[in-house]
Amino acid sequence: MTVEDPDSGTDAQGADPGEDPLALRLEGLILGAERRYTPFQAARSAGVSMELASRFWRAMGFADIGQAKALTEADVLALRRLAGLVEAGLLSEAMAVQVARSTGQTTARLAEWQIDSFLEGLTEPPEPGMTRTEVTYPIVELLLPELEEFLVYVWRRQLAASAGRVVQAADDEEMVDRRLAVGFADLVGFTRLTRRMEEEELGELVEAFETTAADLVAANGGRLIKTLGDEVLYAADDAGVAAEIALRLIETMAHDETMPELRVGMAFGTVTTRMGDVFGTTVNLASRLTSIAPKDAVLVDTAFAEELIRTQDAPSSEAEAAEEAAAAEKEGEEPPAYRFGLQPMWQRPVRGLGVVEPWLLTRRDLG
């Protein structure tokens, strides 16, 4: 016999009478603990104020639950750990909230993807007459420890890579405001496609685009910042790396008849990084260049072009490259092997950024 909790309207196990029993069983399996605490009780057990506990909870992306008995021992431990970092002086309170928010936002998207694209396929009833609910629990039970271990592994790998970039920064300011190459890749005519294609087809196209872009960015040494359906944002420490990624994206998509044309805009300069995202004039300029880029073409700003010239990835002009080649041939030497070509385009006003001079980036024939 269950005992009604007069404060929460739930039974002694924390279950709302209207909640699905399987959903509660899955929650218990995934969290590894049963509901025991109201938010007030959890905050008190963790030794933190209710105000701070609410800030952490909301930052992680969870809705207010009033005083329902819905929290577990794991929730108390998480509150205690975050508060302990603040008390020890390792994090400020504002930074602890940021940690909660960044972790919550990242893992929320991961969890949604796993349920929508992964778990649904695995829990299709294997035999006629079986319901999905009958196979969901054992599948989750088998997958959970493996997925958890893999998540921690990938997180440690990413943390190591990010920490390596930070310690190589020239100074403390560069750790926050860094000089990066930023690129936007955008599918042309995507809005028209949304009106012509079925939802499932559109979803498959977006997934194929995001997967291809993510693979190319990672394989060539860039970092995928975020995907926005028909657009991806990436960054690289080196302009040459960013340029190679942009051209490979164009070349790869051009060979896929199912994909619309692509255009890429890139800029090089100081970028503010925050919670895994990038901000600033450089990012805005890259976005504007994308909007004016021709189909299946890459536009870069002057700073990006100058960086490629400085690193000898591109000549300052094709005339100079021809002169260098002729001089090298005369001396019996190999001419400079420039990877990219740059063609200045007409100057034009760009909303909010004044007049800019785009450069068309191409791949040079090294043969």
Side-chain angles (χ1 to χ4, degrees), residues 109 183-187 204-236 241-242 244-254 256 259-260 262-264:
R109 185 178 181 189
F184 279 93
D186 177 62
L187 291 175
E204 290 174 354
L205 184 144
V206 168
E207 184 176 355
F209 169 58
E210 291 183 349
T211 299
T212 300
D215 287 349
L216 285 172
V217 169
N220 289 279
R223 296 188 298 284
L224 186 69
I225 304 299
K226 57 187 174 184
T227 59
L228 303 168
D230 63 330
E231 189 175 58
V232 297
L233 169 61
Y234 68 93
V241 168
E244 182 65 29
I245 291 170
L247 292 172
R248 284 184 181 267
L249 282 169
I250 295 289
E251 293 158 358
T252 302
M253 296 297 176
D256 188 340
M259 284 288 173
L262 190 71
R263 55 189 175 193
V264 181

Side-chain angles (χ1 to χ4, degrees), residues 158-169:
Q158 293 286 4
L159 195 64
S162 183
R165 289 193 293 269
V166 168
V167 298
Q168 291 175 26

Side-chain angles (χ1 to χ4, degrees), residues 21 51 54 68 125 161 163 169 183 209 300 303 319 350 364:
E51 179 185 1
S54 295
F209 169 58
V300 304
V350 174
R364 298 185 85 247

Side-chain angles (χ1 to χ4, degrees), residues 24 41 73 86 99 131 190 238 260 277 289 315 319 327 348 353:
L24 290 173
Q41 292 168 339
E73 199 66 50
V86 175
V99 168
T131 65
F190 185 75
D238 182 85
D277 208 341
L289 289 172
R348 65 190 74 188
L353 297 170

